[in-house]
Amino acid sequence: MGRAFSILDAFADGTPSLRLTAIAERADLPLPTALRLVRELVAWGGLQRQSDGSYRLGSRLWTLGGQAPCQRRLVETGRPVLHGLSRETGLPVLLAALDGSRLVVLDGADAGAGTAVRPGTMLPLHATAAGKVLLAYLPDSRRRQLLTDLVRLTPHTLTAPGLLDRQLAAIRAGVPASAWEEWHLGENEVAVPVDPFAVHGPEAALAVTARSAAQARRVLPLLARAALTISAGLRPSGQATACATRAGEPR
């Protein structure tokens, strides 16, 4: 079972798809063992084989994860707000949460453009605006643990810990998070926390992806309003949310 988990952990940095050789290398497994485990996971639904021969995380994982009360409540509360924000801006919107050491997309909307990131997708923490939001509120020791060996995904990805630390400090001070072509070229993101005053930090992050930094900045007031709407829906009685966890622990 542990070796099967190591196969899934190969996708922990947010890489959307991997070939078998890369999975074996990341999981530190012999190629024949990796192939056997990958086939078992495909049959179970934990992995999905794509037309080019690579593999991505399967819908079974999202189906199971979505049954967790906290994630289900976030999705149910956030979905109408996400779709409203996407229609208003004409841009892709996503809601993401920290799951242990991973950033997982809980839900997305794309105003009919077909560009939304699918639920269950793992995203890199350091190279996305949503990831930076959630990193910013982690305890220092946990944040340092997650920011070792940063991978440069584009020429614009921040991999210098000092520079990233300054960005995260500004986010904690209330500055919206941004990622200018750090995950994918041509994608500029801004994000804000959902329920930032929960006992153990934000429940999730709400992000918009735009074609330019200027376009992303223009929608910030709408993004902030949408995050407040979701936050209010999560605590209808004005009490602290029941799903708050210790920052960085699996939900």
Side-chain angles (χ1 to χ4, degrees):
M1 181 64 73
R3 291 187 297 181
F5 288 146
S6 71
I7 296 288
L8 299 177
D9 278 338
F11 296 85
D13 67 352
T15 303
S17 63
L18 292 168
R19 293 192 174 275
L20 179 64
T21 52
I23 293 173
E25 181 179 351
R26 290 184 176 205
D28 195 23
L29 292 172
L31 195 60
T33 302
L35 176 59
R36 176 176 60 81
L37 292 170
V38 162
R39 284 174 172 170
E40 290 177 1
L41 285 166
V42 168
W44 177 71
L47 289 178
Q48 185 178 65
R49 193 173 190 273
Q50 302 189 97
S51 59
D52 65 356
S54 65
Y55 297 87
R56 68 180 185 184
L57 294 176
S59 59
R60 183 77 173 266
L61 294 174
W62 168 245
T63 300
L64 291 175
Q67 298 309 307
C70 296
Q71 292 193 353
R72 186 170 64 248
R73 184 170 58 84
L74 276 165
V75 170
E76 290 174 351
T77 304
R79 177 161 292 164
V81 181
L82 260 68
H83 284 272
L85 178 61
S86 186
R87 286 193 301 269
E88 193 171 6
T89 62
L91 298 173
V93 180
L94 65 82
L95 182 70
L98 191 64
D99 185 4
S101 61
R102 305 169 179 176
L103 181 70
V104 61
V105 176
L106 302 181
D107 205 1
D110 62 2
T115 55
V117 180
R118 64 191 276 267
T121 299
M122 299 294 182
L123 303 180
L125 281 166
H126 69 292
T128 57
K132 291 179 185 180
V133 166
L134 298 172
L135 279 171
Y137 288 88
L138 289 176
D140 290 344
S141 59
R142 181 63 173 151
R143 185 166 58 251
R144 284 195 297 270
Q145 182 183 17
L146 294 176
L147 291 179
T148 57
D149 301 322
L150 299 179
V151 177
R152 187 178 297 278
L153 302 173
T154 77
H156 307 289
T157 306
L158 294 183
T159 56
L163 184 56
L164 189 54
D165 282 342
R166 288 193 289 275
Q167 275 199 5
L168 299 181
I171 293 167
R172 286 192 298 276
V175 176
S178 61
W180 308 134
E181 298 187 287
E182 294 181 42
W183 180 33
H184 289 148
L185 292 176
E187 295 186 1
N188 296 274
E189 307 165 58
V190 286
V192 294
V194 171
D195 205 4
F197 302 112
V199 175
H200 299 294
E203 291 271 354
L206 185 64
V208 169
T209 301
R211 291 172 291 278
S212 68
Q215 185 183 36
R217 290 190 182 99
R218 282 197 297 271
V219 302
L220 274 171
L222 299 175
L223 178 67
R225 186 183 68 190
L228 286 173
T229 301
I230 298 174
S231 300
L234 291 173
R235 44 174 71 193
S237 64
Q239 301 299 316
T241 55
C243 287
T245 59
R246 290 181 180 86
E249 290 184 358
R251 294 182 181 274

mmCIF file of all heavy atoms in Angstrom, residues 91-125:
data_model
loop_
_atom_site.group_PDB
_atom_site.id
_atom_site.type_symbol
_atom_site.label_atom_id
_atom_site.label_comp_id
_atom_site.label_asym_id
_atom_site.label_seq_id
_atom_site.Cartn_x
_atom_site.Cartn_y
_atom_site.Cartn_z
ATOM 1 N N LEU A 91 -13.698 35.377 -16.913
ATOM 2 C CA LEU A 91 -12.402 34.743 -16.691
ATOM 3 C C LEU A 91 -12.555 33.455 -15.882
ATOM 4 O O LEU A 91 -13.517 33.288 -15.133
ATOM 5 C CB LEU A 91 -11.469 35.698 -15.938
ATOM 6 C CG LEU A 91 -11.131 37.012 -16.641
ATOM 7 C CD1 LEU A 91 -10.349 37.927 -15.709
ATOM 8 C CD2 LEU A 91 -10.329 36.745 -17.918
ATOM 9 N N PRO A 92 -11.581 32.541 -16.008
ATOM 10 C CA PRO A 92 -11.605 31.322 -15.191
ATOM 11 C C PRO A 92 -11.390 31.645 -13.713
ATOM 12 O O PRO A 92 -10.560 32.482 -13.359
ATOM 13 C CB PRO A 92 -10.445 30.490 -15.740
ATOM 14 C CG PRO A 92 -10.149 31.065 -17.084
ATOM 15 C CD PRO A 92 -10.474 32.524 -16.985
ATOM 16 N N VAL A 93 -12.122 30.951 -12.868
ATOM 17 C CA VAL A 93 -12.046 31.132 -11.414
ATOM 18 C C VAL A 93 -11.882 29.765 -10.778
ATOM 19 O O VAL A 93 -12.446 28.778 -11.265
ATOM 20 C CB VAL A 93 -13.341 31.796 -10.880
ATOM 21 C CG1 VAL A 93 -13.271 31.984 -9.370
ATOM 22 C CG2 VAL A 93 -13.586 33.126 -11.581
ATOM 23 N N LEU A 94 -11.094 29.680 -9.711
ATOM 24 C CA LEU A 94 -10.982 28.408 -9.006
ATOM 25 C C LEU A 94 -10.957 28.630 -7.504
ATOM 26 O O LEU A 94 -10.578 29.695 -7.013
ATOM 27 C CB LEU A 94 -9.754 27.615 -9.461
ATOM 28 C CG LEU A 94 -8.340 28.155 -9.200
ATOM 29 C CD1 LEU A 94 -7.862 27.860 -7.783
ATOM 30 C CD2 LEU A 94 -7.357 27.587 -10.202
ATOM 31 N N LEU A 95 -11.383 27.598 -6.794
ATOM 32 C CA LEU A 95 -11.360 27.544 -5.338
ATOM 33 C C LEU A 95 -10.432 26.398 -4.973
ATOM 34 O O LEU A 95 -10.628 25.263 -5.424
ATOM 35 C CB LEU A 95 -12.757 27.302 -4.796
ATOM 36 C CG LEU A 95 -12.929 27.266 -3.278
ATOM 37 C CD1 LEU A 95 -12.735 28.662 -2.682
ATOM 38 C CD2 LEU A 95 -14.321 26.735 -2.917
ATOM 39 N N ALA A 96 -9.401 26.663 -4.174
ATOM 40 C CA ALA A 96 -8.412 25.646 -3.842
ATOM 41 C C ALA A 96 -8.141 25.644 -2.344
ATOM 42 O O ALA A 96 -8.272 26.672 -1.669
ATOM 43 C CB ALA A 96 -7.113 25.888 -4.610
ATOM 44 N N ALA A 97 -7.767 24.471 -1.826
ATOM 45 C CA ALA A 97 -7.492 24.327 -0.401
ATOM 46 C C ALA A 97 -6.211 23.530 -0.210
ATOM 47 O O ALA A 97 -5.773 22.790 -1.103
ATOM 48 C CB ALA A 97 -8.658 23.641 0.311
ATOM 49 N N LEU A 98 -5.629 23.675 0.950
ATOM 50 C CA LEU A 98 -4.426 22.931 1.302
ATOM 51 C C LEU A 98 -4.834 21.566 1.839
ATOM 52 O O LEU A 98 -5.676 21.462 2.729
ATOM 53 C CB LEU A 98 -3.633 23.695 2.354
ATOM 54 C CG LEU A 98 -2.215 23.202 2.660
ATOM 55 C CD1 LEU A 98 -1.319 23.348 1.437
ATOM 56 C CD2 LEU A 98 -1.623 23.963 3.833
ATOM 57 N N ASP A 99 -4.249 20.529 1.274
ATOM 58 C CA ASP A 99 -4.503 19.162 1.720
ATOM 59 C C ASP A 99 -3.154 18.563 2.092
ATOM 60 O O ASP A 99 -2.452 18.023 1.255
ATOM 61 C CB ASP A 99 -5.175 18.367 0.605
ATOM 62 C CG ASP A 99 -5.565 16.962 1.053
ATOM 63 O OD1 ASP A 99 -5.382 16.655 2.238
ATOM 64 O OD2 ASP A 99 -6.058 16.188 0.219
ATOM 65 N N GLY A 100 -2.789 18.679 3.370
ATOM 66 C CA GLY A 100 -1.464 18.259 3.787
ATOM 67 C C GLY A 100 -0.412 19.165 3.186
ATOM 68 O O GLY A 100 -0.369 20.362 3.467
ATOM 69 N N SER A 101 0.426 18.621 2.306
ATOM 70 C CA SER A 101 1.472 19.410 1.657
ATOM 71 C C SER A 101 1.095 19.782 0.232
ATOM 72 O O SER A 101 1.940 20.266 -0.525
ATOM 73 C CB SER A 101 2.786 18.621 1.637
ATOM 74 O OG SER A 101 2.619 17.416 0.910
ATOM 75 N N ARG A 102 -0.179 19.577 -0.136
ATOM 76 C CA ARG A 102 -0.593 19.795 -1.511
ATOM 77 C C ARG A 102 -1.669 20.859 -1.595
ATOM 78 O O ARG A 102 -2.465 21.044 -0.674
ATOM 79 C CB ARG A 102 -1.145 18.498 -2.104
ATOM 80 C CG ARG A 102 -0.214 17.318 -2.024
ATOM 81 C CD ARG A 102 -0.941 16.046 -2.383
ATOM 82 N NE ARG A 102 -0.078 14.887 -2.347
ATOM 83 C CZ ARG A 102 -0.491 13.646 -2.547
ATOM 84 N NH1 ARG A 102 -1.766 13.405 -2.781
ATOM 85 N NH2 ARG A 102 0.349 12.637 -2.499
ATOM 86 N N LEU A 103 -1.717 21.517 -2.743
ATOM 87 C CA LEU A 103 -2.803 22.430 -3.056
ATOM 88 C C LEU A 103 -3.728 21.713 -4.022
ATOM 89 O O LEU A 103 -3.310 21.299 -5.102
ATOM 90 C CB LEU A 103 -2.262 23.708 -3.700
ATOM 91 C CG LEU A 103 -3.312 24.777 -4.054
ATOM 92 C CD1 LEU A 103 -3.878 25.390 -2.783
ATOM 93 C CD2 LEU A 103 -2.704 25.846 -4.935
ATOM 94 N N VAL A 104 -4.983 21.543 -3.628
ATOM 95 C CA VAL A 104 -5.926 20.809 -4.463
ATOM 96 C C VAL A 104 -7.064 21.725 -4.882
ATOM 97 O O VAL A 104 -7.576 22.512 -4.081
ATOM 98 C CB VAL A 104 -6.469 19.564 -3.721
ATOM 99 C CG1 VAL A 104 -7.204 19.949 -2.447
ATOM 100 C CG2 VAL A 104 -7.381 18.734 -4.631
ATOM 101 N N VAL A 105 -7.432 21.654 -6.149
ATOM 102 C CA VAL A 105 -8.557 22.430 -6.661
ATOM 103 C C VAL A 105 -9.855 21.770 -6.206
ATOM 104 O O VAL A 105 -10.093 20.599 -6.486
ATOM 105 C CB VAL A 105 -8.523 22.512 -8.201
ATOM 106 C CG1 VAL A 105 -9.754 23.240 -8.729
ATOM 107 C CG2 VAL A 105 -7.265 23.237 -8.659
ATOM 108 N N LEU A 106 -10.680 22.530 -5.497
ATOM 109 C CA LEU A 106 -11.968 22.025 -5.042
ATOM 110 C C LEU A 106 -13.050 22.222 -6.095
ATOM 111 O O LEU A 106 -13.928 21.380 -6.261
ATOM 112 C CB LEU A 106 -12.388 22.732 -3.747
ATOM 113 C CG LEU A 106 -11.435 22.618 -2.564
ATOM 114 C CD1 LEU A 106 -12.008 23.358 -1.365
ATOM 115 C CD2 LEU A 106 -11.161 21.167 -2.217
ATOM 116 N N ASP A 107 -12.994 23.348 -6.800
ATOM 117 C CA ASP A 107 -14.009 23.631 -7.804
ATOM 118 C C ASP A 107 -13.492 24.732 -8.720
ATOM 119 O O ASP A 107 -12.576 25.490 -8.354
ATOM 120 C CB ASP A 107 -15.315 24.080 -7.145
ATOM 121 C CG ASP A 107 -16.534 23.811 -8.030
ATOM 122 O OD1 ASP A 107 -16.360 23.259 -9.135
ATOM 123 O OD2 ASP A 107 -17.647 24.164 -7.621
ATOM 124 N N GLY A 108 -14.072 24.822 -9.903
ATOM 125 C CA GLY A 108 -13.670 25.838 -10.854
ATOM 126 C C GLY A 108 -14.816 26.236 -11.757
ATOM 127 O O GLY A 108 -15.786 25.499 -11.911
ATOM 128 N N ALA A 109 -14.718 27.411 -12.356
ATOM 129 C CA ALA A 109 -15.712 27.911 -13.306
ATOM 130 C C ALA A 109 -14.971 28.697 -14.370
ATOM 131 O O ALA A 109 -13.952 29.330 -14.097
ATOM 132 C CB ALA A 109 -16.742 28.796 -12.605
ATOM 133 N N ASP A 110 -15.499 28.667 -15.596
ATOM 134 C CA ASP A 110 -14.754 29.272 -16.700
ATOM 135 C C ASP A 110 -15.602 30.115 -17.645
ATOM 136 O O ASP A 110 -15.176 30.442 -18.745
ATOM 137 C CB ASP A 110 -14.037 28.191 -17.502
ATOM 138 C CG ASP A 110 -15.020 27.205 -18.142
ATOM 139 O OD1 ASP A 110 -16.246 27.390 -17.979
ATOM 140 O OD2 ASP A 110 -14.567 26.260 -18.797
ATOM 141 N N ALA A 111 -16.808 30.483 -17.238
ATOM 142 C CA ALA A 111 -17.683 31.313 -18.074
ATOM 143 C C ALA A 111 -17.912 30.706 -19.452
ATOM 144 O O ALA A 111 -18.084 31.413 -20.444
ATOM 145 C CB ALA A 111 -17.111 32.734 -18.214
ATOM 146 N N GLY A 112 -17.882 29.378 -19.514
ATOM 147 C CA GLY A 112 -18.161 28.694 -20.772
ATOM 148 C C GLY A 112 -16.996 28.614 -21.734
ATOM 149 O O GLY A 112 -17.143 28.135 -22.851
ATOM 150 N N ALA A 113 -15.808 29.054 -21.308
ATOM 151 C CA ALA A 113 -14.663 29.065 -22.218
ATOM 152 C C ALA A 113 -13.936 27.733 -22.276
ATOM 153 O O ALA A 113 -13.065 27.531 -23.113
ATOM 154 C CB ALA A 113 -13.680 30.157 -21.795
ATOM 155 N N GLY A 114 -14.259 26.814 -21.357
ATOM 156 C CA GLY A 114 -13.624 25.509 -21.370
ATOM 157 C C GLY A 114 -12.205 25.511 -20.858
ATOM 158 O O GLY A 114 -11.419 24.629 -21.192
ATOM 159 N N THR A 115 -11.851 26.495 -20.018
ATOM 160 C CA THR A 115 -10.472 26.608 -19.549
ATOM 161 C C THR A 115 -10.328 26.410 -18.052
ATOM 162 O O THR A 115 -9.262 26.623 -17.503
ATOM 163 C CB THR A 115 -9.897 27.994 -19.907
ATOM 164 O OG1 THR A 115 -10.768 29.010 -19.373
ATOM 165 C CG2 THR A 115 -9.780 28.156 -21.406
ATOM 166 N N ALA A 116 -11.401 26.000 -17.368
ATOM 167 C CA ALA A 116 -11.324 25.819 -15.923
ATOM 168 C C ALA A 116 -10.428 24.631 -15.575
ATOM 169 O O ALA A 116 -10.409 23.619 -16.278
ATOM 170 C CB ALA A 116 -12.707 25.613 -15.332
ATOM 171 N N VAL A 117 -9.676 24.745 -14.483
ATOM 172 C CA VAL A 117 -8.896 23.629 -13.982
ATOM 173 C C VAL A 117 -9.856 22.639 -13.324
ATOM 174 O O VAL A 117 -10.709 23.023 -12.530
ATOM 175 C CB VAL A 117 -7.846 24.120 -12.962
ATOM 176 C CG1 VAL A 117 -7.028 22.950 -12.429
ATOM 177 C CG2 VAL A 117 -6.925 25.151 -13.607
ATOM 178 N N ARG A 118 -9.728 21.364 -13.657
ATOM 179 C CA ARG A 118 -10.698 20.385 -13.167
ATOM 180 C C ARG A 118 -10.530 20.143 -11.669
ATOM 181 O O ARG A 118 -9.408 20.140 -11.147
ATOM 182 C CB ARG A 118 -10.581 19.062 -13.934
ATOM 183 C CG ARG A 118 -9.290 18.341 -13.767
ATOM 184 C CD ARG A 118 -9.163 17.204 -14.771
ATOM 185 N NE ARG A 118 -9.811 15.997 -14.331
ATOM 186 C CZ ARG A 118 -9.176 15.021 -13.666
ATOM 187 N NH1 ARG A 118 -7.902 15.167 -13.328
ATOM 188 N NH2 ARG A 118 -9.807 13.920 -13.334
ATOM 189 N N PRO A 119 -11.630 19.927 -10.947
ATOM 190 C CA PRO A 119 -11.555 19.604 -9.520
ATOM 191 C C PRO A 119 -10.683 18.377 -9.287
ATOM 192 O O PRO A 119 -10.689 17.422 -10.065
ATOM 193 C CB PRO A 119 -13.020 19.319 -9.150
ATOM 194 C CG PRO A 119 -13.809 20.114 -10.128
ATOM 195 C CD PRO A 119 -13.032 20.032 -11.413
ATOM 196 N N GLY A 120 -9.922 18.420 -8.213
ATOM 197 C CA GLY A 120 -9.013 17.342 -7.896
ATOM 198 C C GLY A 120 -7.609 17.556 -8.420
ATOM 199 O O GLY A 120 -6.684 16.836 -8.043
ATOM 200 N N THR A 121 -7.409 18.547 -9.305
ATOM 201 C CA THR A 121 -6.075 18.843 -9.828
ATOM 202 C C THR A 121 -5.180 19.355 -8.706
ATOM 203 O O THR A 121 -5.584 20.188 -7.896
ATOM 204 C CB THR A 121 -6.152 19.900 -10.942
ATOM 205 O OG1 THR A 121 -6.952 19.393 -12.005
ATOM 206 C CG2 THR A 121 -4.766 20.240 -11.482
ATOM 207 N N MET A 122 -3.969 18.837 -8.649
ATOM 208 C CA MET A 122 -2.980 19.318 -7.693
ATOM 209 C C MET A 122 -2.165 20.446 -8.331
ATOM 210 O O MET A 122 -1.686 20.305 -9.459
ATOM 211 C CB MET A 122 -2.043 18.189 -7.268
ATOM 212 C CG MET A 122 -2.745 17.035 -6.592
ATOM 213 S SD MET A 122 -3.472 17.507 -5.011
ATOM 214 C CE MET A 122 -4.150 15.932 -4.482
ATOM 215 N N LEU A 123 -2.026 21.542 -7.620
ATOM 216 C CA LEU A 123 -1.296 22.695 -8.134
ATOM 217 C C LEU A 123 -0.040 22.943 -7.302
ATOM 218 O O LEU A 123 -0.010 22.628 -6.111
ATOM 219 C CB LEU A 123 -2.182 23.947 -8.081
ATOM 220 C CG LEU A 123 -3.515 23.905 -8.815
ATOM 221 C CD1 LEU A 123 -4.244 25.227 -8.639
ATOM 222 C CD2 LEU A 123 -3.314 23.596 -10.278
ATOM 223 N N PRO A 124 0.990 23.523 -7.903
ATOM 224 C CA PRO A 124 2.193 23.861 -7.130
ATOM 225 C C PRO A 124 1.908 25.001 -6.157
ATOM 226 O O PRO A 124 1.305 26.011 -6.523
ATOM 227 C CB PRO A 124 3.197 24.279 -8.211
ATOM 228 C CG PRO A 124 2.355 24.708 -9.367
ATOM 229 C CD PRO A 124 1.120 23.862 -9.329
ATOM 230 N N LEU A 125 2.339 24.847 -4.931
ATOM 231 C CA LEU A 125 2.080 25.873 -3.923
ATOM 232 C C LEU A 125 2.829 27.164 -4.220
ATOM 233 O O LEU A 125 2.277 28.260 -4.116
ATOM 234 C CB LEU A 125 2.489 25.349 -2.543
ATOM 235 C CG LEU A 125 1.520 24.400 -1.848
ATOM 236 C CD1 LEU A 125 2.209 23.717 -0.675
ATOM 237 C CD2 LEU A 125 0.287 25.146 -1.374
#
